[in-house]
Amino acid sequence: MSAIRSFCIIAHIDHGKSTLADRLMEATGLLTSRDKTEQYLDRMDIERERGITIKAQAVRMRHVHEGVEYELNLIDTPGHVDFTYEVSRSLAACDGALLVVDATQGVEAQTLANLYLALDAGLEIIPVINKIDLPSADPDRVREEIEETIGLDTTDALLVSAKTGIGIEALLTAIIERFPAPRGDRDAPMRALIVDSWWDAYRGVISIVRVVDGRMRPGDRVRLLATGKTYDVLDVGAFAPDALSYPELSAGEVGYLTANVKEVADSKVGDTVALADDANAVPVLGFKEVQPMVFAGVFPSDSVDYPALRDALSKLSLNDASVSWEPESSSALGFGYRLGFLGLLHMEIIQERLEREYDLDIITTAPSVKYQIYQRDGSMALIDNPAKMPDPGGFDFIEEPMIVARIQVPEEFLGAIIKLCQDRRGVQVDLKFPTARRAHLTYKLPLAEIVFGFYDQLKSISRGYASLDYEMAGYERADLVRLDLLVNGERVDALSLITHRSNAFARGRDLCSKMKEEIPPQQFEVAIQAAIGAKIIARTNVKALRKNVLAKCYGGDISRKRKLLEKQKRGKKRLKAVGNVEIPQSAFHAILKLD
Amino acid sequence: MSRGLYIHVPFCARACPYCDFDFVVGRAPDLDGYLEGLSREADQRGEEAASGRRFATVYVGGGTPSSLGAAGLSALMRWIERRFPGAGGDEITVEVNPEHADMRLLGALAAAGVGRISMGIQTFEDAGLRELGRAHSGAEAAVGLQTARTQGLRVSSDLIVGWRGQTPTSLRDDVARAIDGGAEHVSVYALTIEERSAWPKLVRRGLRVLPDDDHQAELLVVAEEALTAAGFTHYEVASYALGGAQARHNMLYWTWQEYLGLGPSGSSARYARDGSVRRRTNARGLAAWAAGAPPEEVALGPVEAAIEGLWVGLRRLTGLEVEDFLARFPAVDRGWIERRSASQRARGNLEWAEQGRLLRVVAGRWLWHDSIGADLLG
């Protein structure tokens, strides 16, 4: 066990995490430069393109140091606020973390949230200053910044260039010398932590585990403590970088496990694997069922694709147990599903995967959170679809989910960010200056306010320098109303939204003017109205199309004319009918752009 | 069932800035080369263009057929008579520009057996003619109409509406002058800017504006009111006629008849007994056509052809005759028409008339004919 080191890499996007991982694999002989694909760890297209990690991965490398062969486990963790819980579980499988900072950029705010999670998990941190080969590299300034912002001693910080390979050997040595070996008892009853799971068409569910105590062998009868289900272990091994079977995984080792688990939902991140007959097994860590926070309707553009959407969702949820989905129908968009996501990034990823991996053309409605509606008789209903919220007077009061947001922001943008938080109904909880130039701002905010473009605004106000991390903070009562959009008197259910009463007028006006831009002139005038219950609070209209006729038909060239009309018709395929008004799909996205 | 012959004359003295139809601009059209080309094409078309085939109507369009001059047009008419003896028994129409409508040319046409001319007057207002880049004046057009009458030619007059500065009053005046000049048929087109014409460039240079939809709609309605008040029937989306003066050749298009189009970009249609149709459009451009560039061909099956036929037939504002339609397209039945037209009837754009003998566009709704067409074709 003393020859095992398990670690992760914490880095801001573009600071070179994946390149460094590739270089370590190359230096330990796992990848030759010939077969290296850029960013080996990020297996999904979307991960590779966006430079983010969604699924945790683990690779096992071997490195000989002073005559001893070490087993180095690199655990690649997700790195986004939507996936904080997953990150914390991945970190629990590590003993150390490399904090990678770009020598030309310095410490970026986004890195900090994950770094704090690593420190909370008690990991040893090695600061690594990357990209020192670049002419604009300023390692001394970056060192200073790390000490100032994080309070980490950088005397022994390593200077590397993942691109050219400078400092990689020294880094391997530091990993072995400075990271602690895992603790655990190989002779105790087996216990292992599930770091992540995914579904493989050939092998069923594959889980990445860290064995904490004992030994795990094929043939073992095991029990997952959270679900209570038992399985027979089929295979254990490690990725190096392809899957390699081993006779056993013992305490301290990180590797994979397959056990005839049919669905990812049965092998959840953070759950503990123990021997089936060990009735007293204690979970490695507290297990938490992750709950979707953000909900949106997903509809096929063309209703014939509804079965294809259902198939795609069932396949997708094999691999991502955190997406929830149930059928939904809309008078404007037909049949679809209401999906629940961990956060906005998660929502975008799922949307993209449906479009790309499953080749579906979909319409996603504006995201919503889950509200608690209290009736006068004291009963409570949960609503995650604004269209289903009762009219004013139809309930006693509403509570909405709150978050505590931690925002790291350079001092010069602080004023603007505070204003943003105030505008979003935030209440300041704390303001600290760990360094003169950087503020740590803590705000309590309604989750719904974050869902609508908050992150984008935060980024644009701070020119990308602010970072956001948040956690749920219960429910609070609020004066919320359902804002409806009507076209020619008919409610467009997919465009209803829930908003604070104080914002309703502004949102209503904004929504009407956005719709006016989106709805093309029709044969008759189209009235666009925003309403709260029966009360119209904003209105506008789209002038009628006075004519649509091209009289000329040159010399009997009917084919030419027909082609022109078919072009018009193709445009129309993307229109959805509400009553007799045709609304383009883009209108359903415009609601996302409300301020 | 009758059959029409269309001859495309691809020569123009100058280009109109809004048009991208098939033409070459030149001072001296190569008449011999063009006639040789027509002969070659007619021979290659085989049975479709067999000399024994009867063509009830002949339409010589362009381009600017009158740019061939009196002698050139006479030669063309002789070629037609030689190649297709007896063609045009019902009607022979030639497009004539007002600036060419002199005694010599119109006399030559009458002598060659032409009974009808279509004159591209567009407007009698000189400011409008300058805006449209036309070569003639309003006075020339008026004289041209008069001359045609003295030659015993029946006249159709084209009017363009919706150019910058046109008012309802000046349009009413255009209509009155065309009728006074003896036109028994008037075609009214909203100014349409073709993408590949010179107009968009002129707009960028600030010399023209794009037509305004509302302005055009208003004027199209003014034209309809003025013409129907004068006793004309609005019998097709763009066409008005007195009494029996409907354009017989154009009617072939709207009643699913066959036509043979010769010359560059000429269009042809041939129906099979089951209603399926083969449409052919010759290569664009004199040079390409003369070099034998292949035509574009579209074959529509019996039902597809019926779908197209429904739209095309509804161009007739007097109504699509259901019985004739079903005779042409035996693959469909009355119930099919019911279903196919249901959404447009529900919208109030189409209606049944004369106890279901006719399906037609509701009065005034022809202004959305393309919306109706796009929906029927979908």
Side-chain angles (χ1 to χ4, degrees), chain A residues 45-103:
Chain A
D45 284 350
I46 295 173
E47 294 190 344
R48 215 165 272 179
E49 263 169 46
R50 297 191 160 198
I52 48 167
T53 302
I54 305 160
K55 284 274 171 194
Q57 307 277 350
V59 286
R60 182 180 290 194
M61 300 173 279
R62 299 197 171 279
H63 188 62
V64 178
H65 176 67
E66 293 177 351
V68 182
E69 190 184 73
Y70 286 85
E71 173 191 317
L72 307 181
N73 296 304
L74 167 57
I75 297 165
D76 193 28
T77 62
H80 189 274
V81 53
D82 284 2
F83 307 109
T84 300
Y85 174 75
E86 281 84 346
V87 178
S88 71
R89 272 24 189 182
S90 304
L91 294 173
C94 302
D95 300 301
L98 300 177
L99 172 69
V100 176
V101 182
D102 187 323

Side-chain angles (χ1 to χ4, degrees), chain B residues 202-322:
Chain B
L202 297 174
V203 169
R204 281 196 290 279
R205 286 164 52 196
L207 299 173
R208 293 288 190 285
V209 293
L210 287 176
D212 176 77
D213 231 36
D214 288 354
H215 181 224
Q216 291 200 325
E218 185 193 352
L219 293 175
L220 284 171
V221 171
V222 167
E224 184 183 47
E225 283 165 3
L227 282 158
T228 50
F232 281 63
T233 303
H234 192 180
Y235 74 96
E236 188 268 334
V237 172
S239 313
Y240 298 81
L242 275 180
Q246 300 185 347
R248 294 192 178 193
H249 180 82
N250 285 351
M251 275 305 274
L252 300 183
Y253 302 149
W254 323 127
T255 53
W256 325 288
Q257 307 300 308
E258 298 197 331
Y259 46 94
L260 170 69
L262 298 178
S265 71
S267 300
S268 309
R270 299 179 73 186
Y271 287 88
R273 196 162 294 179
D274 65 359
S276 60
V277 62
R278 301 179 70 83
R279 297 196 176 280
R280 162 188 166 122
T281 304
N282 285 349
R284 260 177 87 93
L286 180 61
W289 167 76
E296 236 181 84
E297 287 186 289
V298 178
L300 300 178
V303 176
E304 281 178 292
I307 292 171
E308 186 188 80
L310 196 56
W311 155 59
V312 167
L314 285 166
R315 291 277 304 201
R316 282 178 77 186
L317 299 183
T318 49
L320 171 151
E321 293 183 20
V322 174

